[in-house]
C-alpha cells in the first residue's frame, strides 16, 4: 500500500472513532446534560469542561497519530525491500507478499485505536489540565526543592499524566516500528547472526534513546514523590529519603541520559557497547537503590532516630497542620473548678434548655412510627439545627418526609413517574423535650404541615428533590399529581414551578425517550409540550454532577426559609492528595481538605446556588477563576439561610482525629508520643467506639458572650479514659469556622465518657432499674453521653429510652441521667435531675414547651413523674418491683393467669410510685 493511501486510511478511521462512535454511545447523555446545565444556569461549567476534554483529547490523539503514524510511514520508506537477505541471496516469503496490504491495514487500524484510546484517556485528565493552566501561588515553598506548593497541588498531576502519555507513545512507536520492519524488510541474516540494516538500527536506536530520556524524567518525578514518602515515622522526605534515596535517583537520572545519548550516537556509528554498559550500570544502581536506603535506615537512622529525624518531624507537623487547617485552631485552658451552683445554671439557662435528649436513632424510629402516615413516605435521617422560637434560641431536630417510589403499593410507570412525584413537609421537634408519655414534642408535624410555632410556617411543602434516590418524573401533565392523603380521599395538585427541563417539542420527547430507554415518554398522551422533566433528583448526585471537582458531605440538611420554602443545605469540600509532608487520613490518599463551599438546593424547583465560605482556600480560588459567576460570596446568600450554615461534622471529625496527634508541635514530644490523644470512647451501645461529634447550644467559657450553636467532641489520652480536652467549632456569625480547643489541667482527674458509663453501671439503683426494664420483652436504649461544659465546670448527661425488644418498637424517653463532680443522679426529667444535684429552680423550664416533660401540658395535666423520695425509698421500691416481676414470671410459667394478673397489677402500682433518684 502506498504511503498516501495509508495516511488516508488512518484519517478515515480516526474520524469514525472520534465523531461517529461517541454519538452512538454517549451522545444522548451529552445533549441532555447540555440542556440540563443550561437550564440550571451553569452552562459555563459544561462548556469549559467539554471544551477542555475535546481540546486535550484531540491534541493527544493527533499527537499519537502524527508520532506513531509518522514513525510507521518512515519505517516503510526506509525498508529497502519486501524480503530478507541471507549471504546476498533473496529468500521469498509468499505469505507476507500475499497478505502485505492486509497487515498494513491492521497496523493502521491499530494506530487509530491507540490514538482514540489515548484521546479518551486524555479527556479524563482535562480537569488536571485546567488546574495546571490556572494555578495560583500559595506563597509557601517546600523545604526540599524550594518550589511553591501550587506546583504540587495543581501542576504535578498533569505533568505525571504527560509523562505516562510520552512513555506510551514511545513504547507503541517502538513496537509498531519493529513489527513493520519485520514485515517489510530491514533484516539481514548472516552465518553468525541476524542483524538490522543500518537505517532500521538507527531508527530504533533513536526511539530507544527517547525511552531512556523519559526514564530520566521519571527519576526527576520520583524525587518530587519523596515529599509523600511513607518510609519513616512521618509522611514526607525523611533522613533516609534525602541522604540515600535522593542521591540514587540523581545517579539514575544521569545514567539514563547517558544511555539515551549513547543510543543516539550508535545510530551513526552502529556501536552499542557504550549503551549496553550504561544499561548494566543502570540495573546495578537500581538494585543498589532498593538496598542502600534500607541499610541507611537500619544502621544509621534507627540507632539515633530522634536526632536524625527531628527536622523532618518538624516539617511534617507544620505541613500536616496547615493541610487540615489545624494551625488556625485557638487553644484555651479549661480549669474545671467544680463550683457550679443553681444560680449558674439559671444564668446559662439557654445552654441547659438546649441539651440534646433525643438521639438521632431513637428519634428517627419514633418519627417513622408517628409521622410517616403512609408506607411510601420515608424519613431518611434526622438533622440538628437551630431556630429563634418565641424569642428563644432553640436547637431542634428535623427530618423531611420524602416519597420513596420503591415503596409504592402499585408500581407502574404512571404511578412512579407521573402521579407520585414528591414528598411532603417535615417533622420538627425540640431536642430536649418529651410528652408525659416519653414521646417527642412536635413544633411541626402532620400532613399538611401543622406548626405550633408562629415564626415557622411552611408554605411550599412539596419535596421534589431530596436524599431518597428516586428516578426522573414528569410534571405539569394532563394527570394530576398526588399531593398528600386526606382521610379516605387523596388531594391532588399540579406543579407550578420552573424546575426540570421543558418538553417543548416532539424532538425533545424523542430525546428523553431514548435517554431513559422508555417508549412511553414518547407515546403517552398525558405528557404535553408544557410538561417538565425532572432529572437528577437526588440532591447529592445533582450537586456532584454540576461540580464534579468538589466532594460533598454525605449529611445534607433541610432549612425552613422565612418565605416558607424548603431548602437543602450541602457542604462542599475541596480535597487533594498532593500536599507535601501531609499525612493522609483514613484509607484514602487525600491529605488536604477544606470546606469552602456552601450549596443550597430548593426542594421544590431544584434551583442550585454555590457560595464561598472560605475564600482563602487556593483550590476554590482556582475553581472560581475557571468558572466565573458560578461561586458567589457568602454574603450573597439570603440572610435567613445564612443563619443556618453549620460546621460540617465529617470535616470536624477528620480534623479532630488529626489534632489528637498533631496538637503536639514539639518534635521530641511528637516522637515519644508523650501527649497522644484520641477522641473519647464510649461503649454504651455495645462495642467500644469513638464518640460522634454532636451539635449543641452553649456559651463558650471565656470567649463567648452569649449562647451559640457549636459542634463539639471530647478527647482522652490515647491509653487512658480520663478526659483531657474538648474541641468546639463555632457555627454562628461572625465567628463561623473558628475552632476552639479547651484543655483540662493535667494534674487533675476529669472523668471521661467511658469512666462515667462505668459509674452509671455501678450505681445500684440505676443498675436495678435498667435490669428490670430489660426484662419482659422490653429493651433499654442508652443515648449518647453528652459532655456539657457550663462556665468552668462540666456536666455529663445521658438520656435513656425504652422500646420493645422485637417488632416495630416506639422508643420513649423515660429517664435522664446527670453526673456532676462525684454525684450520679437519674430522674424522669433533666429538670428533676438537676434539681436533685443543685436544688433551686429548674433552668430548663425557662424555655419549655407546653406538653413537654417537666412543664404543664396543653391540657393542664402535670408532667410525668413526681418528686423522688430518699435514696433508701428508691432502692426499696426498686427491690419490690423486681420481686413482683419475679412472682409474675413464676405464675406465668405455672399457667396461673389470675396470679400473673394480680402480680402485674402490683408491679404497675410500684412503678407508678417509683420516683428515680
Amino acid at each position: 500500500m502506498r504511503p498516501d493511501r495509508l495516511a488516508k486510511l488512518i484519517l478515515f478511521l480516526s474520524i469514525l472513532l472520534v465523531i461517529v462512535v461517541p454519538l452512538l454511545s454517549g451522545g444522548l447523555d451529552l445533549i441532555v446534560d447540555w440542556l440540563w446545565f443550561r437550564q440550571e444556569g451553569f452552562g459555563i461549567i459544561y462548556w469549559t469542561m467539554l471544551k477542555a476534554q475535546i481540546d486535550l483529547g484531540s491534541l493527544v490523539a493527533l499527537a499519537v497519530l502524527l508520532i506513531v503514524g509518522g514513525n510507521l510511514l518512515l519505517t516503510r520508506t526506509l525498508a529497502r525491500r519486501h524480503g530478507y537477505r541471507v549471504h546476498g541471496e533473496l529468500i521469498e516469503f509468499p505469505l507476507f507478499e500475499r497478505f502485505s496490504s492486509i497487515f498494513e491495514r491492521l497496523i493502521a487500524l491499530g494506530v487509530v485505536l491507540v490514538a482514540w484510546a489515548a484521546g479518551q484517556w486524555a479527556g479524563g485528565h482535562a480537569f488536571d489540565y485546567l488546574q495546571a493552566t490556572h494555578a495560583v501561588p500559595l506563597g509557601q515553598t517546600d523545604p526540599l526543592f524550594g518550589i511553591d506548593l501550587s506546583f504540587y497541588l495543581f501542576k504535578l498531576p498533569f505533568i505525571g499524566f504527560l509523562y505516562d502519555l510520552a512513555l506510551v507513545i514511545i513504547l507503541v512507536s517502538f513496537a509498531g516500528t519493529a513489527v513493520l520492519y519485520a514485515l517489510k524488510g530491514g533484516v539481514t541474516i548472516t552465518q553468525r547472526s541476524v542483524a538490522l540494516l543500518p537505517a532500521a538500527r538507527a531508527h530504533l536506536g533513536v526511539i530507544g534513546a527517547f525511552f531512556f530520556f523519559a526514564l530520566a524524567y521519571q527519576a526527576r518525578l520520583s524525587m518530587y514523590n519523596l515529599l509523600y514518602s511513607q518510609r519513616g515515622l512521618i509522611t514526607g522526605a525523611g533522613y533516609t529519603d534525602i541522604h540515600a534515596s535522593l542521591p540514587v535517583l540523581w545517579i539514575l537520572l544521569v545514567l539514563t541520559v547517558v544511555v539515551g545519548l549513547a543510543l543516539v550516537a550508535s545510530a551513526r556509528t552502529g556501536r552499542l557497547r557504550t549503551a549496553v554498559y550504561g544499561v548494566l550500570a543502570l540495573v546495578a544502581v537500581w538494585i543498589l537503590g532498593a538496598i542502600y536506603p534500607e541499610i541507611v535506615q537500619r544502621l544509621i537512622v534507627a540507632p539515633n532516630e530522634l536526632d536524625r529525624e527531628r527536622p523532618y518531624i518538624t516539617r511534617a507537623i507544620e505541613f500536616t497542620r496547615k493541610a487540615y487547617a489545624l494551625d488556625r485552631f485557638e487553644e484555651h485552658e479549661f480549669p474545671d473548678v467544680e463550683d457550679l451552683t443553681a444560680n449558674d445554671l439559671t444564668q446559662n439557662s439557654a445552654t441547659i434548655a438546649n441539651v440534646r435528649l433525643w438521639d438521632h436513632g431513637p428519634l428517627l424510629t419514633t418519627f417513622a412510627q408517628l409521622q410517616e402516615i403512609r408506607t411510601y413516605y420515608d424519613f431518611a435521617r434526622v438533622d440538628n439545627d437551630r431556630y429563634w422560637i418565641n424569642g428563644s434560641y432553640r436547637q431542634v431536630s428535623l427530618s423531611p418526609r420524602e416519597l420513596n417510589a420503591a415503596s409504592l403499593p402499585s408500581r407502574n410507570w404512571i404511578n412512579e413517574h407521573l402521579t407520585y412525584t414528591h414528598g411532603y413537609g417535615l417533622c420538627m421537634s425540640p431536642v430536649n423535650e418529651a410528652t408525659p408519655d416519653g414521646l417527642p414534642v412536635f413544633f411541626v408535624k402532620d400532613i399538611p404541615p401543622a406548626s405550633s410555632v408562629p415564626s415557622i410556617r411552611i408554605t411550599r411543602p412539596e419535596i421534589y428533590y431530596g436524599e431518597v434516590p428516586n428516578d426522573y418524573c414528569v410534571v405539569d401533565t394532563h394527570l394530576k399529581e398526588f399531593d398528600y392523603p386526606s382521610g379516605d380521599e387523596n388531594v391532588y395538585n399540579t406543579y407550578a414551578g420552573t424546575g426540570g427541563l421543558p418538553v417543548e417539542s416532539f424532538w425533545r420527547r424523542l430525546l428523553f425517550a431514548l435517554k431513559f430507554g422508555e417508549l412511553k415518554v414518547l407515546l403517552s398522551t398525558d405528557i404535553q409540550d408544557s410538561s417538565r422533566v425532572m432529572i437528577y433528583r437526588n440532591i447529592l448526585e445533582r450537586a456532584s454532577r454540576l461540580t464534579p471537582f468538589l466532594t460533598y458531605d454525605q449529611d445534607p440538611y433541610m432549612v425552613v426559609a422565612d418565605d416558607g420554602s424548603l431548602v437543602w443545605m450541602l457542604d462542599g469540600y475541596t480535597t487533594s492528595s498532593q500536599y507535601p509532608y501531609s499525612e493522609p487520613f483514613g484509607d484514602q490518599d487525600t491529605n488536604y481538605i477544606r470546606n469552602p463551599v456552601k450549596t443550597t438546593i430548593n426542594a421544590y424547583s431544584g434551583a442550585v446556588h454555590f457560595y464561598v465560605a472560605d475564600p482563602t482556600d487556593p483550590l476554590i480560588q482556582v475553581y472560581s477563576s475557571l468558572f466565573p459567576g458560578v461561586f458567589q460570596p457568602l454574603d450573597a446568600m439570603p440572610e435567613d439561610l445564612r443563619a443556618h450554615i453549620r460546621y460540617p461534622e465529617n470535616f470536624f471529625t477528620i480534623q479532630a482525629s488529626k489534632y489528637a496527634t498533631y496538637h503536639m508541635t514539639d518534635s521530641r514530644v511528637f516522637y515519644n508520643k508523650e501527649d497522644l490523644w484520641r477522641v473519647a470512647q464510649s461503649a454504651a451501645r455495645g462495642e467500644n467506639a469513638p464518640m460522634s461529634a454532636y451539635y449543641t447550644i452553649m456559651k463558650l467559657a471565656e470567649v463567648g458572650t452569649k449562647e451559640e450553636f457549636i459542634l463539639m467532641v471530647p478527647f482522652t489520652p490515647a491509653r487512658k479514659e480520663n478526659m483531657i480536652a474538648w474541641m468546639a467549632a463555632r457555627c454562628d456569625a461572625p465567628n463561623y469556622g473558628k475552632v476552639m480547643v479547651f484543655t483540662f489541667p493535667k494534674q487533675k482527674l476529669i472523668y471521661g465518657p467511658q469512666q462515667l458509663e462505668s459509674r452509671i453501671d455501678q450505681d445500684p439503683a440505676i443498675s436495678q432499674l435498667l435490669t428490670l426494664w430489660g426484662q419482659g420483652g422490653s429493651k433499654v436504649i442508652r443515648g449518647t453521653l453528652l459532655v456539657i461544659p457550663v462556665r468552668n465546670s462540666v456536666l455529663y448527661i445521658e438520656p435513656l429510652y425504652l422500646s420493645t425488644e422485637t417488632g416495630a418498637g416506639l422508643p420513649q424517653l423515660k429517664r435522664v441521667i446527670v453526673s456532676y463532680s462525684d454525684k450520679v443522679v437519674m430522674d424522669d426529667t433533666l429538670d428533676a435531675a438537676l434539681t436533685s444535684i443543685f436544688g433551686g429552680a429548674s433552668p430548663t423550664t425557662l424555655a419549655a414547651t407546653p406538653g413537654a416533660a417537666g412543664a404543664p401540658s396543653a391540657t393542664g395535666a402535670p408532667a410525668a413523674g413526681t418528686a423522688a423520695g430518699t435514696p433508701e425509698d428508691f432502692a426499696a421500691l426498686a427491690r419490690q418491683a423486681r420481686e413482683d416481676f419475679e412472682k409474675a414470671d413464676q405464675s406465668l410459667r405455672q399457667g396461673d393467669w389470675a396470679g400473673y394478673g394480680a402480680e402485674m397489677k402490683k408491679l404497675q402500682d410500684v412503678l407508678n410510685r417509683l420516683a428515680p433518684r
Side-chain angles (χ1 to χ4, degrees):
M1 181 182 292
R2 295 181 306 181
D4 59 333
R5 294 181 61 187
L6 181 62
K8 290 179 180 178
L9 178 60
I10 291 176
L11 178 63
F12 170 75
L13 293 173
S14 301
I15 294 174
L16 181 68
L17 283 173
V18 172
I19 298 178
V20 178
V21 172
L23 285 177
L24 293 178
S25 56
L28 290 174
D29 291 335
L30 286 175
I31 296 172
V32 173
D33 281 352
W34 157 237
L35 294 174
W36 179 66
F37 270 84
R38 188 179 63 175
Q39 175 72 20
E40 298 301 324
F42 299 106
I44 187 172
I45 298 180
Y46 182 89
W47 276 119
T48 301
M49 296 285 286
L50 182 62
K51 184 176 182 299
Q53 291 173 355
I54 293 174
D55 290 349
L56 185 60
S58 301
L59 285 173
V60 168
L62 182 61
V64 172
L65 281 174
L66 291 177
I67 296 173
V68 178
N71 274 286
L72 294 179
L73 292 175
L74 179 62
T75 299
R76 192 186 183 287
T77 302
L78 294 177
R80 293 186 173 182
R81 58 180 303 165
H82 303 287
Y84 294 83
R85 189 168 297 280
V86 180
H87 295 296
E89 298 296 330
L90 183 67
I91 295 180
E92 299 292 340
F93 287 93
L95 183 65
F96 285 170
E97 292 289 340
R98 183 178 304 173
F99 297 104
S100 176
S101 60
I102 295 178
F103 285 137
E104 289 190 5
R105 288 187 176 91
L106 289 175
I107 292 174
L109 178 60
V111 172
V112 172
L113 287 174
V114 170
W116 175 78
Q120 296 294 308
W121 176 34
H125 290 271
F127 194 70
D128 292 338
Y129 163 74
L130 290 174
Q131 286 193 116
T133 54
H134 291 77
V136 298
L138 270 68
Q140 182 182 10
T141 59
D142 78 88
L144 186 57
F145 302 110
I147 302 174
D148 190 272
L149 297 189
S150 63
F151 170 79
Y152 301 98
L153 262 67
F154 303 120
K155 297 180 181 180
L156 189 57
F158 186 65
I159 291 174
F161 160 72
L162 291 179
Y163 163 76
D164 293 338
L165 175 65
L167 196 62
V168 168
I169 291 175
I170 292 169
L171 292 175
V172 171
S173 296
F174 187 88
T177 300
V179 170
L180 195 58
Y181 273 126
L183 293 175
K184 306 299 291 184
V187 179
T188 299
I189 302 176
T190 67
Q191 290 180 341
R192 296 182 177 181
S193 63
V194 177
L196 291 173
L197 294 177
R201 183 175 60 246
H203 189 187
L204 292 174
V206 171
I207 297 176
F210 277 103
F211 172 75
F212 282 97
F213 293 151
L215 290 184
Y217 196 71
Q218 170 60 34
R220 181 58 177 167
L221 293 179
S222 297
M223 296 179 193
Y224 296 137
N225 289 333
L226 291 177
L227 300 182
Y228 312 102
S229 171
Q230 300 287 335
R231 183 192 301 274
L233 293 170
I234 44 85
T235 299
Y239 182 93
T240 300
D241 297 306
I242 294 175
H243 293 86
S245 298
L246 186 60
V248 170
L249 289 172
W250 275 116
I251 296 172
L252 287 173
L253 187 151
V254 173
L255 282 175
T256 49
V257 171
V258 170
V259 172
L261 293 175
L263 286 173
V264 172
S266 71
R268 297 184 59 186
T269 64
R271 299 175 181 176
L272 294 174
R273 180 174 298 179
T274 303
V276 171
Y277 287 157
V279 171
L280 292 176
L282 269 176
V283 173
V285 173
W286 181 79
I287 295 174
L288 178 65
I291 300 174
Y292 178 58
E294 291 300 321
I295 295 175
V296 171
Q297 181 70 29
R298 295 189 180 190
L299 300 183
I300 298 178
V301 176
N304 307 281
E305 194 168 37
L306 177 58
D307 291 337
R308 300 291 186 184
E309 298 285 12
R310 179 177 294 178
Y312 313 111
I313 293 174
T314 301
R315 291 177 184 177
I317 293 172
E318 176 190 356
F319 280 76
T320 300
R321 285 172 64 88
K322 289 183 177 179
Y324 296 96
L326 307 184
D327 58 325
R328 303 179 183 180
F329 289 10
E330 300 178 25
E331 299 181 0
H332 301 269
E333 293 184 357
F334 193 89
D336 191 39
V337 296
E338 295 187 355
D339 60 351
L340 204 61
T341 65
N343 185 55
D344 294 328
L345 296 182
T346 302
Q347 292 178 0
N348 291 269
S349 59
T351 297
I352 303 302
N354 283 287
V355 172
R356 193 191 75 188
L357 299 182
W358 281 103
D359 272 11
H360 292 170
L363 186 59
L364 183 62
T365 302
T366 304
F367 277 178
Q369 293 292 324
L370 300 179
Q371 284 289 306
E372 278 187 354
I373 312 297
R374 293 290 188 272
T375 58
Y376 41 78
Y377 286 129
D378 271 355
F379 290 107
R381 70 175 76 237
V382 173
D383 294 298
N384 289 116
D385 202 356
R386 70 284 197 194
Y387 290 80
W388 283 97
I389 296 175
N390 299 328
S392 298
Y393 203 39
R394 303 297 305 276
Q395 183 183 188
V396 300
S397 297
L398 70 160
S399 183
R401 185 185 293 104
E402 298 191 55
L403 179 80
N404 188 348
S407 299
L408 288 172
S410 176
R411 297 191 63 183
N412 55 60
W413 183 80
I414 291 179
N415 279 347
E416 291 187 36
H417 300 285
L418 271 64
T419 304
Y420 292 88
T421 57
H422 57 273
Y424 208 85
L426 54 78
C427 287
M428 180 187 292
S429 64
V431 297
N432 68 317
E433 299 179 17
T435 67
D437 294 329
L439 300 177
V441 172
F442 287 101
F443 285 161
V444 180
K445 63 178 181 178
D446 296 341
I447 301 179
S451 174
S452 62
V453 180
S455 58
I456 300 178
R457 287 287 182 267
I458 300 176
T459 59
R460 181 58 75 184
E462 299 91 344
I463 302 174
Y464 286 88
Y465 300 87
E467 294 183 83
V468 176
N470 289 317
D471 204 355
Y472 72 93
C473 70
V474 186
V475 297
D476 191 15
T477 65
H478 291 301
L479 282 179
K480 293 287 188 179
E481 300 170 50
F482 170 80
D483 214 21
Y484 59 88
S486 178
D488 295 333
E489 299 182 355
N490 294 327
V491 176
Y492 294 86
N493 206 342
T494 300
Y495 184 75
T498 58
L501 293 169
V503 172
E504 291 184 351
S505 64
F506 168 81
W507 298 110
R508 280 204 176 186
R509 291 184 67 168
L510 177 61
L511 177 66
F512 293 138
L514 293 173
K515 160 74 173 177
F516 303 132
E518 181 54 72
L519 189 61
K520 295 184 181 67
V521 175
L522 182 64
L523 301 179
S524 174
T525 57
D526 294 317
I527 299 176
Q528 52 191 346
D529 288 348
S530 62
S531 298
R532 310 182 75 88
V533 180
M534 294 183 173
I535 59 177
Y536 307 138
R537 297 170 61 200
N538 178 273
I539 54 175
L540 289 174
E541 179 191 13
R542 189 175 186 81
S544 297
R545 280 188 171 270
L546 288 173
T547 52
F549 41 85
L550 296 178
T551 301
Y552 282 92
D553 193 280
Q554 297 300 300
D555 185 21
Y557 58 101
M558 180 169 280
V559 175
V560 182
D562 286 352
D563 63 359
S565 61
L566 302 179
V567 180
W568 290 100
M569 190 83 74
L570 293 79
D571 286 284
Y573 302 129
T574 53
T575 59
S576 175
S577 59
Q578 298 296 127
Y579 201 90
Y581 283 98
S582 176
E583 181 184 69
F585 63 84
D587 297 329
Q588 309 175 47
D589 293 331
T590 303
N591 64 2
Y592 174 94
I593 185 170
R594 290 288 188 277
N595 172 225
V597 177
K598 302 294 182 180
T599 303
T600 62
I601 300 179
N602 189 286
Y604 185 73
S605 67
V608 185
H609 297 279
F610 302 98
Y611 303 95
V612 177
D614 182 6
T616 64
D617 174 44
L619 275 80
I620 201 61
Q621 292 174 9
V622 169
Y623 302 159
S624 297
S625 66
L626 277 173
F627 312 111
V630 170
F631 299 98
Q632 306 174 59
L634 189 61
D635 291 343
M637 180 186 288
E639 186 176 355
D640 57 328
L641 298 182
R642 196 162 66 245
H644 292 276
I645 63 173
R646 66 184 194 184
Y647 206 88
E649 183 179 340
N650 187 46
F651 183 39
F652 184 78
T653 300
I654 292 172
Q655 288 181 307
S657 67
K658 290 301 177 187
Y659 192 81
T661 300
Y662 286 91
H663 71 277
M664 297 180 289
T665 56
D666 181 87
S667 57
R668 180 178 294 275
V669 175
F670 186 95
Y671 175 81
N672 293 318
K673 299 294 187 286
E674 296 175 17
D675 193 24
L676 185 64
W677 298 352
R678 66 178 178 182
V679 173
Q681 308 279 300
S682 174
R685 301 176 186 175
E687 294 184 0
N688 202 26
M691 289 181 61
S692 298
Y694 50 91
Y695 294 97
T696 190
I697 290 178
M698 70 167 59
K699 186 188 297 182
L700 292 172
E702 298 183 2
V703 297
T705 59
K706 60 180 181 179
E707 279 77 7
E708 55 186 295
F709 193 60
I710 67 165
L711 176 65
M712 69 169 291
V713 71
F715 290 103
T716 65
R719 294 176 179 84
K720 295 183 179 180
E721 300 299 340
N722 60 288
M723 194 158 57
I724 192 70
W726 58 281
M727 189 168 96
R730 307 173 80 172
C731 300
D732 292 343
N735 297 308
Y736 173 79
K738 294 181 180 179
V739 180
M740 327 289 288
V741 179
F742 297 86
T743 57
F744 293 104
K746 294 184 179 180
Q747 68 275 14
K748 184 177 182 180
L749 173 64
I750 309 296
Y751 288 120
Q754 188 68 22
Q755 292 173 321
L756 257 297
E757 295 287 358
S758 298
R759 291 187 63 195
I760 292 171
D761 292 338
Q762 294 165 8
D763 185 281
I766 297 177
S767 178
Q768 286 183 17
L769 186 59
L770 295 183
T771 302
L772 177 64
W773 277 352
Q775 299 176 0
S778 296
K779 178 176 66 174
V780 177
I781 303 173
R782 298 180 66 164
T784 301
L785 179 64
L786 304 176
V787 177
I788 306 296
V790 180
R791 289 186 67 248
N792 291 323
S793 301
V794 176
L795 290 174
Y796 303 87
I797 300 174
E798 178 179 293
L800 296 178
Y801 314 93
L802 191 62
S803 183
T804 58
E805 186 69 38
T806 58
L810 183 64
Q812 297 170 283
L813 178 61
K814 285 299 184 182
R815 297 290 188 270
V816 179
I817 300 173
V818 176
S819 176
Y820 173 71
S821 186
D822 59 347
K823 301 176 182 177
V824 177
V825 171
M826 182 173 71
D827 218 313
D828 280 349
T829 66
L830 177 59
D831 288 352
L834 291 173
T835 301
S836 297
I837 295 177
F838 299 100
S842 170
T844 64
T845 57
L846 298 175
T849 300
S857 68
T859 60
T866 58
T870 65
E872 292 77 11
D873 293 340
F874 177 83
L877 287 172
R879 288 192 297 271
Q880 182 63 46
R882 184 176 183 83
E883 292 175 3
D884 291 340
F885 176 80
E886 291 174 350
K887 292 179 180 179
D889 184 59
Q890 183 178 1
S891 298
L892 181 62
R893 293 172 184 270
Q894 296 173 353
D896 182 5
W897 294 103
Y900 172 76
E903 293 300 334
M904 288 301 295
K905 180 64 170 62
K906 293 180 181 179
L907 176 60
Q908 182 178 3
D909 292 340
V910 172
L911 290 177
N912 288 335
R913 293 165 50 209
L914 185 62
R917 177 167 56 91

